[in-house]
Amino acid sequence: AAKAGGRNTYRFFDTAMAENARARVRLQHELGVALAKEQFAVHYQPQYHLLTREVIGFEALVRWQHSERGLIGPGEFIPVAEETGQIVPLGTWVLRQACRDAVHWPAHLRVSVNLSAVQFRSSSVVDVVDMALADSGLPPDRLELEVTESALIEDHEGAQATLMALRSRGIRVALDDFGTGYSSLAYLRRFPMDKLKIDGMFVRSLDSDQDAQAVVTAIIRLAKALRLDTTAEGVETKEQMVMLRALGCDDVQGFLISRPMPAGQVMPYLARSADVLTPA
Ligand code: C2E
Ligand code: MG
Ligand code: MG
Ligand code: MG
């Protein structure tokens, strides 16, 4: 009976895995169609500077405009797109769209674009960025690229060369989700960066958890010592923002300031927030 049960268990996993594989193949196919038809949209979330109390830029966040399922968040398709390599054309599309949108914003505003590790390691990444800037007319110093530690770990020399090529153009580089990955301190010295983005995981527990406070305090101190800016992600409460300001964090991003918005809402948002955000 035990053996039969064991076999059934295997059969169950086989079926689940096969279904999973089928779902992935379907998603991969649908992504391919969506790429060909450009059924994606870029939404923008403001980054708010705590000292000047002004919006300094927006992060570009991709959404899939699915014909039946509506708007789908990146968490549902970026991992598959990374596995299949579709992230390279998708990421290029996002980058080009973000540059084309940002060129219409007031000139002091930057756009931050996420680069997946696969994209960052592809040999054409610098050319792709150059083309996106040239075709849109966006000055390089208005573009920031967000990379995660996973983009840096495998090929140190390659990563260093890519970072140097980007930064020599005046493009800024931010290390995203800081604190969740390897967070090797050696990386921060080895790789030229401009900014650390403190992961929302730490920000979320700032007001309740002393350990989270210690971690955020340490990250901000470390960043200052290395002359890096800090952005705190996932700021949802006034209390979190007040603490981050007291700790010397440079800017914040989160639902407290605004949810990500479609491109067409950016200019109206800026007009509104000129009076609303300033006293915050
Ligand atoms: P991320 O780059 O760390 O982006 C921040 C995520 O946190 C976004 O989720 C944003 O909507 C969400 N967020 C912002 N404020 C708050 C808040 O106050 N509370 C909470 N709970 N969440 C908040 P989103 O848009 O679902 O994106 C998820 C991840 O997908 C991003 O994390 C990024 O890693 C990836 N991603 C998004 N767009 C792109 C893209 O164009 N290319 C690549 N390679 N990855 C992307
Ligand atoms: Mg990001
Ligand atoms: Mg992040
Ligand atoms: Mg994140």
Coordinates of all heavy atoms in Angstrom, one line a residue, residues 191-258:
F191 N 32.2 47.8 -8.0 CA 31.4 48.2 -9.1 C 31.0 49.6 -9.0 O 30.4 50.0 -7.9 CB 30.1 47.3 -9.2 CG 30.4 45.9 -9.5 CD1 30.2 44.9 -8.5 CD2 30.9 45.5 -10.7 CE1 30.5 43.6 -8.8 CE2 31.2 44.2 -11.0 CZ 31.0 43.2 -10.0
P192 N 31.3 50.4 -10.0 CA 30.9 51.9 -9.9 C 29.4 52.1 -10.0 O 28.8 51.6 -11.0 CB 31.6 52.5 -11.1 CG 31.8 51.3 -12.1 CD 31.9 50.1 -11.3
M193 N 28.8 52.7 -9.0 CA 27.4 52.9 -8.9 C 27.1 54.3 -8.5 O 27.9 55.0 -8.0 CB 26.8 52.0 -7.8 CG 27.0 50.6 -7.9 SD 25.7 49.9 -8.9 CE 26.4 48.3 -9.0
D194 N 25.8 54.7 -8.6 CA 25.4 56.0 -8.1 C 24.4 55.9 -6.9 O 24.3 56.9 -6.2 CB 24.7 56.7 -9.3 CG 25.7 56.9 -10.4 OD1 26.5 57.8 -10.3 OD2 25.6 56.1 -11.4
K195 N 23.7 54.8 -6.8 CA 22.6 54.8 -5.9 C 22.3 53.4 -5.4 O 22.5 52.4 -6.1 CB 21.4 55.3 -6.6 CG 20.1 55.4 -5.8 CD 18.9 55.6 -6.7 CE 18.5 57.1 -6.7 NZ 17.2 57.2 -7.4
L196 N 21.9 53.3 -4.1 CA 21.3 52.0 -3.6 C 19.9 52.2 -3.4 O 19.4 53.1 -2.8 CB 22.0 51.7 -2.2 CG 23.5 51.4 -2.1 CD1 23.8 50.9 -0.7 CD2 23.8 50.3 -3.1
K197 N 19.1 51.2 -3.8 CA 17.7 51.2 -3.6 C 17.4 50.2 -2.5 O 17.6 49.0 -2.6 CB 16.9 50.8 -4.8 CG 17.0 51.9 -5.9 CD 16.0 51.7 -7.0 CE 14.6 52.3 -6.6 NZ 13.7 52.2 -7.7
I198 N 17.0 50.7 -1.3 CA 16.7 49.8 -0.1 C 15.4 49.1 -0.4 O 14.4 49.7 -0.6 CB 16.6 50.6 1.1 CG1 17.9 51.5 1.3 CG2 16.4 49.8 2.4 CD1 17.8 52.6 2.4
D199 N 15.5 47.7 -0.3 CA 14.3 46.9 -0.6 C 13.1 47.2 0.3 O 13.3 47.4 1.5 CB 14.6 45.5 -0.6 CG 13.6 44.6 -1.3 OD1 13.5 44.6 -2.5 OD2 12.7 44.0 -0.6
G200 N 11.9 47.2 -0.3 CA 10.7 47.4 0.5 C 10.5 46.5 1.7 O 9.8 46.9 2.6
M201 N 11.1 45.3 1.6 CA 11.0 44.4 2.7 C 11.5 45.0 4.0 O 10.8 44.8 5.1 CB 11.9 43.2 2.4 CG 12.0 42.1 3.3 SD 13.1 40.8 2.6 CE 14.6 41.3 3.4
F202 N 12.5 45.8 4.0 CA 13.0 46.4 5.2 C 12.2 47.6 5.6 O 11.9 47.9 6.8 CB 14.5 46.9 5.0 CG 15.4 45.8 4.7 CD1 16.0 45.7 3.4 CD2 15.7 44.7 5.6 CE1 16.8 44.7 3.0 CE2 16.5 43.7 5.2 CZ 17.1 43.7 3.9
V203 N 11.8 48.4 4.6 CA 11.0 49.6 4.8 C 9.6 49.2 5.5 O 9.2 49.9 6.4 CB 10.7 50.3 3.5 CG1 9.8 51.5 3.7 CG2 12.1 50.7 2.9
R204 N 9.0 48.1 5.0 CA 7.7 47.7 5.5 C 7.8 47.5 7.0 O 6.8 47.8 7.7 CB 7.3 46.4 4.8 CG 5.9 46.2 4.6 CD 5.6 45.2 3.5 NE 6.2 45.6 2.2 CZ 6.9 44.8 1.5 NH1 7.1 43.5 1.8 NH2 7.5 45.2 0.3
S205 N 8.9 46.9 7.6 CA 8.9 46.6 9.0 C 9.6 47.7 9.8 O 9.9 47.6 11.0 CB 9.5 45.3 9.2 OG 10.3 44.9 8.2
L206 N 9.9 48.9 9.2 CA 10.6 50.0 9.8 C 10.0 50.4 11.1 O 10.6 50.6 12.1 CB 10.7 51.2 8.9 CG 12.0 51.5 8.3 CD1 11.9 52.9 7.6 CD2 13.1 51.5 9.3
D207 N 8.6 50.6 11.1 CA 8.0 51.1 12.3 C 7.7 50.1 13.4 O 7.4 50.4 14.5 CB 6.7 51.9 12.0 CG 6.1 51.6 10.7 OD1 6.3 50.5 10.2 OD2 5.4 52.4 10.1
S208 N 7.9 48.8 13.1 CA 7.6 47.8 14.1 C 8.8 47.0 14.5 O 8.8 46.5 15.7 CB 6.5 46.8 13.5 OG 7.0 46.2 12.3
D209 N 9.8 46.9 13.7 CA 10.8 45.9 13.9 C 12.2 46.7 14.1 O 12.7 47.3 13.2 CB 10.9 45.0 12.7 CG 12.0 43.9 12.8 OD1 12.8 44.0 13.7 OD2 12.0 43.1 11.9
Q210 N 12.8 46.5 15.3 CA 14.0 47.2 15.6 C 15.2 46.7 14.7 O 16.1 47.4 14.4 CB 14.4 47.0 17.0 CG 13.4 47.6 18.0 CD 14.1 48.3 19.2 OE1 15.2 47.8 19.6 NE2 13.5 49.3 19.7
D211 N 15.1 45.4 14.3 CA 16.2 44.9 13.5 C 16.1 45.5 12.1 O 17.2 45.8 11.5 CB 16.0 43.3 13.3 CG 16.4 42.6 14.6 OD1 16.9 43.3 15.6 OD2 16.1 41.4 14.7
A212 N 14.9 45.7 11.6 CA 14.8 46.4 10.3 C 15.4 47.8 10.4 O 16.0 48.3 9.5 CB 13.3 46.4 9.8
Q213 N 15.1 48.4 11.5 CA 15.6 49.8 11.7 C 17.1 49.8 11.6 O 17.8 50.7 11.0 CB 15.2 50.4 13.0 CG 13.8 50.9 13.0 CD 13.3 51.3 14.4 OE1 14.1 51.8 15.2 NE2 12.1 51.1 14.7
A214 N 17.7 48.8 12.3 CA 19.2 48.7 12.4 C 19.7 48.5 10.9 O 20.7 49.1 10.6 CB 19.6 47.6 13.3
V215 N 19.1 47.6 10.2 CA 19.5 47.3 8.8 C 19.5 48.6 7.9 O 20.4 48.9 7.3 CB 18.7 46.2 8.2 CG1 19.1 46.0 6.7 CG2 19.0 44.9 8.9
V216 N 18.3 49.3 8.0 CA 18.2 50.5 7.2 C 19.2 51.5 7.6 O 19.8 52.2 6.7 CB 16.7 51.0 7.2 CG1 16.6 52.3 6.6 CG2 15.8 50.0 6.6
T217 N 19.3 51.7 8.9 CA 20.3 52.7 9.4 C 21.7 52.4 8.8 O 22.4 53.2 8.3 CB 20.4 52.7 10.9 OG1 19.0 52.9 11.4 CG2 21.3 53.7 11.5
A218 N 22.1 51.1 8.9 CA 23.4 50.7 8.4 C 23.6 50.9 6.9 O 24.6 51.3 6.5 CB 23.6 49.2 8.8
I219 N 22.5 50.5 6.2 CA 22.6 50.7 4.7 C 22.8 52.2 4.3 O 23.6 52.5 3.5 CB 21.3 50.2 4.0 CG1 21.2 48.6 4.1 CG2 21.4 50.5 2.5 CD1 20.0 48.0 3.6
I220 N 22.0 53.1 5.0 CA 22.2 54.5 4.7 C 23.6 55.0 5.1 O 24.2 55.8 4.3 CB 21.0 55.3 5.4 CG1 19.7 54.9 4.8 CG2 21.3 56.8 5.3 CD1 18.5 55.4 5.5
R221 N 24.1 54.6 6.2 CA 25.4 55.0 6.6 C 26.5 54.5 5.6 O 27.4 55.3 5.2 CB 25.8 54.4 8.0 CG 25.2 55.2 9.1 CD 26.1 55.3 10.3 NE 25.3 55.8 11.4 CZ 25.1 55.1 12.5 NH1 25.7 53.9 12.7 NH2 24.3 55.6 13.4
L222 N 26.3 53.3 5.3 CA 27.3 52.7 4.3 C 27.2 53.4 3.0 O 28.3 53.8 2.4 CB 26.9 51.2 4.1 CG 27.7 50.4 3.0 CD1 29.1 50.2 3.5 CD2 27.0 49.1 2.8
A223 N 26.0 53.7 2.5 CA 25.9 54.4 1.2 C 26.5 55.8 1.3 O 27.2 56.2 0.4 CB 24.4 54.6 0.9
K224 N 26.3 56.5 2.4 CA 26.9 57.8 2.6 C 28.4 57.7 2.6 O 29.1 58.5 1.9 CB 26.4 58.4 3.9 CG 25.1 59.1 3.8 CD 24.8 59.9 5.1 CE 23.3 60.3 5.2 NZ 22.9 61.1 4.0
A225 N 28.9 56.7 3.3 CA 30.4 56.6 3.3 C 31.0 56.3 1.9 O 32.1 56.8 1.6 CB 30.8 55.5 4.3
L226 N 30.2 55.7 1.1 CA 30.7 55.4 -0.3 C 30.2 56.4 -1.3 O 30.3 56.2 -2.5 CB 30.2 54.0 -0.7 CG 30.8 52.8 0.2 CD1 30.1 51.5 -0.2 CD2 32.3 52.7 -0.1
R227 N 29.6 57.5 -0.8 CA 29.0 58.6 -1.6 C 28.0 58.1 -2.6 O 28.0 58.4 -3.8 CB 30.2 59.3 -2.4 CG 31.1 60.1 -1.4 CD 32.3 60.6 -2.1 NE 33.1 59.6 -2.7 CZ 34.0 58.8 -2.1 NH1 34.2 58.9 -0.8 NH2 34.6 57.8 -2.7
L228 N 27.1 57.2 -2.2 CA 26.0 56.7 -3.0 C 24.7 57.3 -2.5 O 24.6 57.5 -1.3 CB 25.9 55.2 -2.9 CG 27.1 54.4 -3.4 CD1 26.9 52.9 -2.9 CD2 27.2 54.5 -4.9
D229 N 23.8 57.6 -3.4 CA 22.5 58.1 -3.0 C 21.7 56.9 -2.5 O 22.0 55.7 -2.8 CB 21.7 58.7 -4.1 CG 22.3 60.1 -4.5 OD1 23.1 60.7 -3.7 OD2 22.1 60.5 -5.7
T230 N 20.6 57.1 -1.7 CA 19.7 56.1 -1.3 C 18.3 56.4 -1.6 O 17.8 57.5 -1.4 CB 19.8 55.9 0.2 OG1 19.8 57.1 0.9 CG2 21.1 55.1 0.6
T231 N 17.6 55.4 -2.2 CA 16.2 55.5 -2.4 C 15.5 54.3 -1.5 O 16.0 53.2 -1.6 CB 15.8 55.2 -3.8 OG1 16.4 56.2 -4.6 CG2 14.3 55.3 -4.0
A232 N 14.5 54.7 -0.8 CA 13.8 53.6 -0.1 C 12.6 53.2 -0.9 O 11.8 54.1 -1.3 CB 13.4 54.1 1.3
E233 N 12.4 52.0 -1.1 CA 11.3 51.5 -1.9 C 10.1 51.0 -1.0 O 10.3 50.7 0.2 CB 11.7 50.2 -2.7 CG 12.8 50.3 -3.6 CD 12.9 49.0 -4.4 OE1 13.2 48.0 -3.9 OE2 12.6 49.1 -5.6
G234 N 8.9 51.1 -1.5 CA 7.8 50.5 -0.8 C 7.3 51.3 0.4 O 6.8 50.7 1.4
V235 N 7.5 52.6 0.4 CA 7.1 53.4 1.5 C 5.6 53.6 1.4 O 5.1 54.2 0.5 CB 7.8 54.8 1.5 CG1 7.4 55.7 2.6 CG2 9.3 54.6 1.5
E236 N 4.9 53.2 2.5 CA 3.4 53.2 2.5 C 2.9 54.1 3.5 O 1.7 54.5 3.5 CB 2.9 51.8 2.6 CG 3.2 50.9 1.4 CD 2.6 49.5 1.5 OE1 2.0 49.2 2.5 OE2 2.8 48.7 0.5
T237 N 3.6 54.4 4.6 CA 3.1 55.2 5.7 C 3.9 56.5 5.9 O 5.1 56.5 5.6 CB 3.0 54.4 7.0 OG1 4.3 54.2 7.5 CG2 2.3 53.1 6.8
K238 N 3.2 57.5 6.5 CA 3.8 58.7 6.8 C 5.0 58.5 7.9 O 6.0 59.1 7.8 CB 2.8 59.6 7.5 CG 3.2 61.0 7.7 CD 2.9 61.9 6.5 CE 3.6 63.3 6.7 NZ 2.7 64.3 7.3
E239 N 4.7 57.5 8.8 CA 5.7 57.2 9.8 C 7.0 56.7 9.2 O 8.1 57.1 9.6 CB 5.1 56.1 10.8 CG 4.0 56.6 11.7 CD 2.7 56.8 11.0 OE1 2.4 56.2 10.0 OE2 1.9 57.7 11.5
Q240 N 6.8 55.8 8.2 CA 8.0 55.3 7.5 C 8.8 56.4 6.9 O 10.0 56.5 7.0 CB 7.6 54.3 6.5 CG 7.1 53.0 7.1 CD 6.4 52.1 6.0 OE1 6.1 52.6 4.9 NE2 6.0 50.9 6.4
M241 N 8.1 57.4 6.3 CA 8.8 58.5 5.6 C 9.5 59.4 6.6 O 10.6 59.8 6.3 CB 7.8 59.3 4.7 CG 8.5 60.3 3.9 SD 7.4 61.1 2.7 CE 6.5 62.2 3.8
V242 N 8.8 59.6 7.7 CA 9.4 60.5 8.7 C 10.7 59.8 9.3 O 11.8 60.5 9.4 CB 8.4 60.8 9.9 CG1 9.1 61.4 11.1 CG2 7.3 61.6 9.4
M243 N 10.7 58.5 9.5 CA 11.9 57.8 10.0 C 13.0 57.9 8.9 O 14.2 58.1 9.3 CB 11.5 56.4 10.3 CG 10.7 56.2 11.5 SD 10.6 54.5 12.0 CE 12.2 54.2 12.6
L244 N 12.6 57.6 7.7 CA 13.6 57.6 6.6 C 14.3 59.0 6.5 O 15.5 59.1 6.3 CB 13.0 57.2 5.3 CG 12.7 55.7 5.3 CD1 11.6 55.3 4.2 CD2 14.0 54.8 5.1
R245 N 13.5 60.0 6.6 CA 14.0 61.4 6.5 C 15.0 61.6 7.7 O 16.1 62.1 7.5 CB 12.9 62.4 6.6 CG 13.4 63.8 6.4 CD 12.3 64.8 6.5 NE 11.6 65.0 5.2 CZ 10.3 65.0 5.0 NH1 9.5 64.9 6.0 NH2 9.8 65.1 3.8
A246 N 14.6 61.2 8.9 CA 15.5 61.4 10.1 C 16.8 60.6 9.9 O 17.8 61.0 10.4 CB 14.7 60.9 11.3
L247 N 16.7 59.4 9.2 CA 17.9 58.6 9.0 C 18.8 59.1 7.9 O 19.9 58.6 7.7 CB 17.5 57.1 8.7 CG 16.9 56.4 9.9 CD1 16.4 55.0 9.4 CD2 17.9 56.2 11.0
G248 N 18.3 60.1 7.2 CA 19.2 60.7 6.1 C 19.0 60.0 4.8 O 19.9 60.2 3.9
C249 N 18.0 59.3 4.6 CA 17.7 58.7 3.3 C 17.4 59.8 2.3 O 16.8 60.8 2.7 CB 16.5 57.8 3.4 SG 16.1 56.9 1.9
D250 N 17.9 59.7 1.0 CA 17.7 60.8 0.1 C 16.3 60.9 -0.5 O 15.7 62.0 -0.5 CB 18.7 60.7 -1.1 CG 20.1 60.8 -0.6 OD1 20.5 61.9 0.0 OD2 20.9 59.8 -0.7
D251 N 15.8 59.8 -1.0 CA 14.5 59.8 -1.6 C 13.7 58.6 -1.3 O 14.2 57.6 -0.9 CB 14.5 60.2 -3.1 CG 15.7 59.6 -3.8 OD1 16.8 60.1 -3.8 OD2 15.5 58.5 -4.4
V252 N 12.4 58.7 -1.6 CA 11.5 57.6 -1.3 C 10.6 57.3 -2.5 O 10.3 58.2 -3.3 CB 10.6 57.8 -0.1 CG1 11.4 57.8 1.2 CG2 9.8 59.1 -0.2
Q253 N 10.1 56.1 -2.6 CA 9.2 55.7 -3.6 C 8.2 54.8 -3.0 O 8.6 54.0 -2.1 CB 10.0 54.9 -4.6 CG 9.7 55.0 -6.1 CD 10.5 54.1 -6.9 OE1 11.7 54.0 -6.8 NE2 9.8 53.3 -7.8
G254 N 6.9 54.9 -3.3 CA 6.0 54.0 -2.6 C 4.5 54.6 -2.8 O 4.3 55.7 -3.2
F255 N 3.6 53.7 -2.4 CA 2.2 54.1 -2.5 C 1.8 55.3 -1.7 O 0.9 56.0 -2.1 CB 1.3 52.9 -2.0 CG 1.5 51.6 -2.9 CD1 1.0 50.4 -2.4 CD2 2.1 51.7 -4.1 CE1 1.1 49.3 -3.2 CE2 2.2 50.5 -4.9 CZ 1.7 49.3 -4.4
L256 N 2.6 55.6 -0.7 CA 2.3 56.9 0.1 C 2.4 58.1 -0.8 O 1.6 59.0 -0.7 CB 3.3 57.0 1.3 CG 3.2 58.3 2.1 CD1 1.9 58.4 2.9 CD2 4.4 58.5 3.0
I257 N 3.4 58.1 -1.7 CA 3.6 59.2 -2.6 C 2.6 59.0 -3.8 O 1.8 59.9 -4.1 CB 5.1 59.3 -3.1 CG1 6.0 59.3 -2.0 CG2 5.3 60.5 -4.1 CD1 5.9 60.5 -1.0
S258 N 2.7 57.9 -4.5 CA 1.8 57.6 -5.5 C 2.0 56.1 -6.0 O 3.1 55.6 -6.0 CB 2.0 58.5 -6.7 OG 1.3 58.0 -7.9

